Amino acid sequence: MEYICELKNISKRFHTINNETKAVEDLSFKVKKGEIVSIVGPSGSGKSTVLALIAGLEKPSEGEIIVNTNSIGFMFQKDQLYEWRNIYKNCILGLEVKKMDTEENKRKVLNMLEKYGLINFKNHFPSQLSGGMRQRAALVRTLAIEPDLLLLDEPFSALDYQTRLSIGDEVGRILRSEKISTILVTHDIPEAVSISDRVIVFTERPAKVKKEYIIEFDECPGERTPMQCRNTLAFGEYFRNIWRDLDVEEE
Ligand SMILES: Nc1ncnc2c1ncn2[C@@H]1O[C@H](COP(=O)(O)OP(=O)(O)OP(=O)(O)O)[C@@H](O)[C@H]1O
Ligand SMILES: [Mg+2]
Protein backbone atom coordinates (compact mmCIF):
# COMPACT_ATOMS: atom_id res chain seq x y z
CA MET A 1 0.00 0.00 0.00
CA GLU A 2 1.34 3.40 -0.93
CA TYR A 3 0.88 6.20 1.53
CA ILE A 4 1.06 9.89 0.71
CA CYS A 5 1.60 10.78 4.33
CA GLU A 6 2.26 9.03 7.65
CA LEU A 7 2.21 10.46 11.16
CA LYS A 8 3.94 8.31 13.75
CA ASN A 9 3.44 9.06 17.45
CA ILE A 10 3.35 12.83 16.95
CA SER A 11 3.31 15.22 19.87
CA LYS A 12 3.34 19.00 19.65
CA ARG A 13 3.81 21.44 22.52
CA PHE A 14 3.66 25.20 22.14
CA HIS A 15 5.68 27.24 24.61
CA THR A 16 4.92 30.74 25.70
CA ILE A 17 6.83 32.71 28.33
CA ASN A 18 5.06 31.18 31.31
CA ASN A 19 3.18 28.16 30.12
CA GLU A 20 3.06 25.23 27.79
CA THR A 21 0.14 24.07 25.61
CA LYS A 22 0.04 20.48 24.54
CA ALA A 23 -1.83 20.61 21.21
CA VAL A 24 -1.17 17.05 20.00
CA GLU A 25 -0.20 13.91 21.92
CA ASP A 26 0.91 10.58 20.53
CA LEU A 27 -1.08 10.95 17.34
CA SER A 28 -0.69 8.40 14.56
CA PHE A 29 -2.51 8.00 11.26
CA LYS A 30 -1.75 7.36 7.61
CA VAL A 31 -3.32 8.60 4.40
CA LYS A 32 -3.25 6.47 1.26
CA LYS A 33 -2.53 7.90 -2.16
CA GLY A 34 -5.77 9.19 -3.66
CA GLU A 35 -7.65 8.91 -0.37
CA ILE A 36 -9.89 11.69 0.94
CA VAL A 37 -9.75 11.87 4.73
CA SER A 38 -11.68 14.28 6.93
CA ILE A 39 -10.72 15.26 10.45
CA VAL A 40 -13.47 16.40 12.79
CA GLY A 41 -13.02 17.36 16.43
CA PRO A 42 -13.90 19.93 19.07
CA SER A 43 -12.75 23.53 18.64
CA GLY A 44 -9.18 24.01 19.83
CA SER A 45 -8.45 20.28 19.73
CA GLY A 46 -5.38 20.69 17.53
CA LYS A 47 -6.73 20.11 14.01
CA SER A 48 -5.10 23.15 12.36
CA THR A 49 -1.89 22.31 14.19
CA VAL A 50 -1.89 18.84 12.62
CA LEU A 51 -2.22 20.32 9.12
CA ALA A 52 0.58 22.81 9.85
CA LEU A 53 2.78 19.89 10.96
CA ILE A 54 2.06 17.92 7.77
CA ALA A 55 2.74 21.02 5.65
CA GLY A 56 6.07 21.47 7.46
CA LEU A 57 5.07 24.91 8.79
CA GLU A 58 5.55 23.59 12.32
CA LYS A 59 7.95 20.96 13.63
CA PRO A 60 6.69 18.14 15.86
CA SER A 61 8.03 18.04 19.44
CA GLU A 62 8.15 14.24 19.20
CA GLY A 63 7.48 11.63 16.57
CA GLU A 64 7.96 11.39 12.86
CA ILE A 65 6.04 12.68 9.84
CA ILE A 66 6.69 11.18 6.42
CA VAL A 67 5.25 13.05 3.44
CA ASN A 68 5.85 11.35 0.10
CA THR A 69 5.60 14.42 -2.14
CA ASN A 70 6.94 17.98 -2.46
CA SER A 71 3.73 19.18 -4.00
CA ILE A 72 1.37 20.17 -1.19
CA GLY A 73 -1.56 22.53 -1.65
CA PHE A 74 -2.77 24.27 1.50
CA MET A 75 -5.97 26.21 2.00
CA PHE A 76 -6.27 27.95 5.32
CA GLN A 77 -9.26 28.82 7.50
CA LYS A 78 -8.95 32.38 6.15
CA ASP A 79 -8.60 32.76 2.41
CA GLN A 80 -5.23 34.60 2.47
CA LEU A 81 -5.78 36.41 -0.81
CA TYR A 82 -3.48 39.36 -1.38
CA GLU A 83 -5.48 42.58 -1.47
CA TRP A 84 -3.09 44.35 -3.86
CA ARG A 85 -3.31 41.62 -6.52
CA ASN A 86 -6.38 41.16 -8.66
CA ILE A 87 -8.20 37.80 -8.66
CA TYR A 88 -6.38 36.41 -11.70
CA LYS A 89 -3.00 37.48 -10.29
CA ASN A 90 -3.88 35.90 -6.96
CA CYS A 91 -4.80 32.66 -8.70
CA ILE A 92 -1.53 32.37 -10.62
CA LEU A 93 0.59 33.24 -7.57
CA GLY A 94 1.34 29.60 -6.69
CA LEU A 95 2.30 28.91 -10.30
CA GLU A 96 4.66 31.90 -10.29
CA VAL A 97 6.29 30.87 -7.04
CA LYS A 98 6.87 27.36 -8.38
CA LYS A 99 8.00 28.68 -11.78
CA MET A 100 5.15 26.77 -13.38
CA ASP A 101 3.45 29.82 -14.93
CA THR A 102 3.40 28.47 -18.48
CA GLU A 103 0.79 29.59 -21.00
CA GLU A 104 -0.92 26.21 -20.68
CA ASN A 105 -1.17 26.40 -16.89
CA LYS A 106 -2.40 29.98 -17.03
CA ARG A 107 -5.08 28.89 -19.49
CA LYS A 108 -6.12 26.18 -16.99
CA VAL A 109 -6.51 28.88 -14.33
CA LEU A 110 -8.75 30.89 -16.64
CA ASN A 111 -10.81 27.74 -17.30
CA MET A 112 -11.23 27.17 -13.58
CA LEU A 113 -12.23 30.81 -13.04
CA GLU A 114 -14.85 30.31 -15.73
CA LYS A 115 -16.09 27.09 -14.12
CA TYR A 116 -16.32 28.66 -10.65
CA GLY A 117 -18.23 31.70 -11.93
CA LEU A 118 -15.37 34.13 -11.40
CA ILE A 119 -14.27 34.92 -14.92
CA ASN A 120 -16.01 38.30 -14.99
CA PHE A 121 -14.22 39.21 -11.77
CA LYS A 122 -10.70 38.25 -12.80
CA ASN A 123 -9.59 41.90 -12.85
CA HIS A 124 -11.36 42.76 -9.59
CA PHE A 125 -9.54 42.98 -6.29
CA PRO A 126 -10.40 40.64 -3.38
CA SER A 127 -12.11 43.40 -1.37
CA GLN A 128 -14.65 43.77 -4.21
CA LEU A 129 -15.78 40.11 -3.90
CA SER A 130 -18.18 38.33 -1.56
CA GLY A 131 -16.89 35.81 0.99
CA GLY A 132 -17.97 32.89 -1.18
CA MET A 133 -16.27 34.29 -4.27
CA ARG A 134 -13.04 34.90 -2.36
CA GLN A 135 -13.10 31.33 -1.11
CA ARG A 136 -13.59 30.00 -4.64
CA ALA A 137 -10.67 32.14 -5.84
CA ALA A 138 -8.49 30.74 -3.06
CA LEU A 139 -9.46 27.24 -4.14
CA VAL A 140 -8.54 27.96 -7.77
CA ARG A 141 -5.14 29.19 -6.59
CA THR A 142 -4.61 26.03 -4.53
CA LEU A 143 -5.69 23.64 -7.30
CA ALA A 144 -3.68 25.52 -9.98
CA ILE A 145 -0.40 23.92 -8.89
CA GLU A 146 -2.06 20.48 -9.21
CA PRO A 147 -0.93 19.34 -5.76
CA ASP A 148 -0.40 15.65 -4.93
CA LEU A 149 -1.61 16.30 -1.41
CA LEU A 150 -4.27 18.85 -0.58
CA LEU A 151 -4.67 20.18 2.96
CA LEU A 152 -7.96 21.99 3.50
CA ASP A 153 -8.61 23.75 6.80
CA GLU A 154 -12.35 24.49 7.03
CA PRO A 155 -12.28 25.86 3.49
CA PHE A 156 -16.03 26.44 3.34
CA SER A 157 -16.70 27.77 6.84
CA ALA A 158 -17.07 31.41 5.75
CA LEU A 159 -19.77 30.57 3.20
CA ASP A 160 -23.52 30.83 3.63
CA TYR A 161 -25.33 27.50 3.89
CA GLN A 162 -26.50 27.24 0.29
CA THR A 163 -23.14 28.20 -1.25
CA ARG A 164 -21.34 25.96 1.18
CA LEU A 165 -23.41 22.99 0.13
CA SER A 166 -22.95 23.52 -3.59
CA ILE A 167 -19.23 24.44 -3.45
CA GLY A 168 -18.55 21.62 -0.96
CA ASP A 169 -20.25 19.09 -3.22
CA GLU A 170 -18.53 20.47 -6.31
CA VAL A 171 -15.09 20.34 -4.70
CA GLY A 172 -15.80 16.86 -3.34
CA ARG A 173 -16.67 15.69 -6.82
CA ILE A 174 -13.48 17.20 -8.31
CA LEU A 175 -11.24 15.66 -5.63
CA ARG A 176 -12.77 12.24 -6.20
CA SER A 177 -12.68 12.33 -9.99
CA GLU A 178 -9.09 13.67 -10.08
CA LYS A 179 -8.06 11.28 -7.27
CA ILE A 180 -6.35 14.04 -5.29
CA SER A 181 -5.14 12.87 -1.87
CA THR A 182 -6.83 15.21 0.58
CA ILE A 183 -6.99 15.91 4.29
CA LEU A 184 -10.01 18.07 5.07
CA VAL A 185 -10.54 19.62 8.49
CA THR A 186 -14.17 20.53 9.04
CA HIS A 187 -16.79 21.14 11.73
CA ASP A 188 -19.50 20.04 9.36
CA ILE A 189 -20.29 16.33 9.82
CA PRO A 190 -22.45 16.00 6.66
CA GLU A 191 -19.68 17.63 4.65
CA ALA A 192 -17.09 15.20 6.07
CA VAL A 193 -19.26 12.12 5.46
CA SER A 194 -20.39 13.05 1.96
CA ILE A 195 -16.92 13.95 0.65
CA SER A 196 -14.62 11.46 2.39
CA ASP A 197 -13.38 7.89 2.18
CA ARG A 198 -12.60 8.02 5.89
CA VAL A 199 -13.47 10.28 8.81
CA ILE A 200 -11.11 10.61 11.77
CA VAL A 201 -12.66 11.96 14.97
CA PHE A 202 -10.24 13.75 17.30
CA THR A 203 -10.51 13.90 21.07
CA GLU A 204 -10.39 17.20 22.89
CA ARG A 205 -6.95 18.80 23.13
CA PRO A 206 -4.36 17.31 23.06
CA ALA A 207 -5.45 15.72 19.80
CA LYS A 208 -5.53 11.95 19.57
CA VAL A 209 -7.57 9.68 17.32
CA LYS A 210 -10.82 8.95 19.15
CA LYS A 211 -12.67 7.07 16.40
CA GLU A 212 -12.25 6.30 12.77
CA TYR A 213 -14.96 5.56 10.21
CA ILE A 214 -14.44 4.02 6.78
CA ILE A 215 -17.14 5.69 4.71
CA GLU A 216 -18.78 3.39 2.19
CA PHE A 217 -22.09 3.69 0.41
CA ASP A 218 -23.39 0.43 -1.05
CA GLU A 219 -26.22 2.44 -2.58
CA CYS A 220 -23.79 4.54 -4.67
CA PRO A 221 -21.62 2.17 -6.68
CA GLY A 222 -18.91 3.57 -8.96
CA GLU A 223 -18.19 7.29 -8.89
CA ARG A 224 -20.25 8.50 -5.99
CA THR A 225 -21.12 12.18 -5.72
CA PRO A 226 -21.60 13.96 -2.39
CA MET A 227 -25.23 14.65 -3.29
CA GLN A 228 -25.97 10.95 -3.93
CA CYS A 229 -24.36 10.05 -0.60
CA ARG A 230 -26.51 12.52 1.30
CA ASN A 231 -29.61 10.67 0.11
CA THR A 232 -28.66 7.25 1.47
CA LEU A 233 -29.67 5.51 4.68
CA ALA A 234 -26.02 4.89 5.59
CA PHE A 235 -25.41 8.65 5.57
CA GLY A 236 -27.75 9.19 8.52
CA GLU A 237 -26.14 6.35 10.42
CA TYR A 238 -22.62 7.81 10.00
CA PHE A 239 -23.93 11.25 10.95
CA ARG A 240 -25.52 10.00 14.19
CA ASN A 241 -22.43 8.05 15.23
CA ILE A 242 -20.01 10.93 14.66
CA TRP A 243 -22.42 13.39 16.28
CA ARG A 244 -22.50 11.17 19.37
CA ASP A 245 -18.69 10.95 19.48
CA LEU A 246 -18.37 14.74 19.39
CA ASP A 247 -21.29 15.41 21.72
CA VAL A 248 -19.83 13.30 24.51
CA GLU A 249 -16.61 15.30 24.17
CA GLU A 250 -18.38 18.58 24.67
CA GLU A 251 -20.47 17.67 27.71
N1 LIG B 1 1.51 29.09 17.32
C1 LIG B 1 0.93 28.75 18.47
N2 LIG B 1 1.45 29.16 19.66
C2 LIG B 1 0.87 28.80 20.83
N3 LIG B 1 -0.22 28.03 20.94
C3 LIG B 1 -0.80 27.61 19.80
C4 LIG B 1 -0.26 27.95 18.50
N4 LIG B 1 -1.04 27.35 17.55
C5 LIG B 1 -2.01 26.71 18.21
N5 LIG B 1 -1.87 26.84 19.56
C6 LIG B 1 -2.73 26.22 20.59
O1 LIG B 1 -2.88 24.84 20.28
C7 LIG B 1 -4.21 24.41 20.54
C8 LIG B 1 -4.80 23.79 19.29
O2 LIG B 1 -5.02 24.81 18.31
P1 LIG B 1 -5.54 24.53 16.84
O3 LIG B 1 -5.59 25.83 16.15
O4 LIG B 1 -4.72 23.45 16.24
O5 LIG B 1 -7.02 23.97 17.12
P2 LIG B 1 -8.20 23.61 16.10
O6 LIG B 1 -8.64 22.23 16.40
O7 LIG B 1 -7.77 23.92 14.71
O8 LIG B 1 -9.34 24.63 16.55
P3 LIG B 1 -10.54 25.29 15.68
O9 LIG B 1 -11.53 24.18 15.45
O10 LIG B 1 -11.11 26.33 16.59
O11 LIG B 1 -9.96 25.84 14.41
C9 LIG B 1 -4.97 25.63 21.04
O12 LIG B 1 -5.01 25.57 22.44
C10 LIG B 1 -4.14 26.81 20.57
O13 LIG B 1 -4.25 27.89 21.42
MG1 LIG C 1 -8.43 25.27 13.28
Side-chain angles (χ1 to χ4, degrees):
M1 180 60 62
E2 277 198 272
Y3 294 100
I4 189 87
C5 123
E6 298 177 52
L7 281 74
K8 296 181 182 170
N9 309 103
I10 294 301
S11 298
K12 177 65 184 174
R13 292 180 293 273
F14 290 108
H15 297 276
T16 51
I17 292 170
N18 40 24
N19 68 14
E20 180 188 270
T21 305
K22 204 177 239 184
V24 179
E25 188 175 34
D26 198 20
L27 176 72
S28 302
F29 67 86
K30 298 177 184 180
V31 178
K32 292 176 211 157
K33 280 198 173 151
E35 194 180 21
I36 305 172
V37 174
S38 285
I39 296 174
V40 298
S43 185
S45 60
K47 303 180 296 296
S48 296
T49 303
V50 168
L51 291 193
L53 288 165
I54 295 170
L57 303 172
E58 295 281 357
K59 292 271 160 282
S61 309
E62 279 147 41
E64 188 187 6
I65 300 180
I66 302 169
V67 180
N68 293 316
T69 175
N70 310 321
S71 177
I72 298 184
F74 200 147
M75 215 170 120
F76 297 89
Q77 266 174 299
K78 292 210 188 92
D79 63 44
Q80 312 267 340
L81 296 174
Y82 292 105
E83 295 298 336
W84 61 90
R85 284 190 149 222
N86 69 27
I87 293 303
Y88 173 68
K89 293 259 183 195
N90 261 291
C91 289
I92 61 167
L93 183 69
L95 291 174
E96 284 178 4
V97 170
K98 290 188 164 267
K99 306 225 181 326
M100 287 166 57
D101 50 337
T102 59
E103 286 311 310
E104 191 193 341
N105 284 338
K106 288 196 276 193
R107 205 168 331 109
K108 279 190 196 155
V109 165
L110 288 172
N111 286 340
M112 277 197 275
L113 287 172
E114 172 91 56
K115 197 163 155 189
Y116 289 104
L118 291 170
I119 196 72
N120 294 330
F121 295 86
K122 69 181 167 62
N123 298 321
H124 284 57
F125 287 88
S127 61
Q128 298 172 296
L129 269 61
S130 72
M133 295 164 94
R134 293 178 63 117
Q135 207 68 13
R136 275 179 270 163
L139 186 70
V140 171
R141 183 175 67 188
T142 308
L143 292 178
I145 59 162
E146 298 186 357
D148 293 330
L149 175 61
L150 191 56
L151 306 176
L152 302 175
D153 195 351
E154 308 211 29
F156 316 123
S157 58
L159 307 179
D160 64 84
Y161 180 72
Q162 202 63 34
T163 316
R164 178 184 187 124
L165 207 61
S166 64
I167 298 258
D169 279 12
E170 170 70 6
V171 171
R173 222 179 37 72
I174 295 169
L175 299 178
R176 190 161 293 279
S177 64
E178 317 251 326
K179 298 191 171 47
I180 303 176
S181 316
T182 304
I183 305 176
L184 166 72
V185 165
T186 178
H187 273 115
D188 188 322
I189 304 173
E191 187 174 286
V193 173
S194 64
I195 291 178
S196 316
D197 297 305
R198 186 153 53 102
V199 175
I200 298 176
V201 184
F202 275 10
T203 60
E204 271 179 45
R205 183 170 60 81
K208 278 192 292 256
V209 176
K210 177 173 189 185
K211 274 272 182 69
E212 215 174 322
Y213 295 87
I214 308 278
I215 310 291
E216 279 168 345
F217 295 99
D218 295 339
E219 294 166 68
C220 315
E223 287 237 331
R224 67 183 231 211
T225 67
M227 194 48 93
Q228 286 169 339
C229 300
R230 287 176 197 273
N231 290 324
T232 63
L233 281 175
F235 184 86
E237 188 68 27
Y238 286 126
F239 178 89
R240 282 188 292 279
N241 284 327
I242 297 170
W243 176 267
R244 215 171 292 132
D245 294 338
L246 291 173
D247 202 35
V248 171
E249 285 292 330
E250 280 165 1
E251 262 169 16

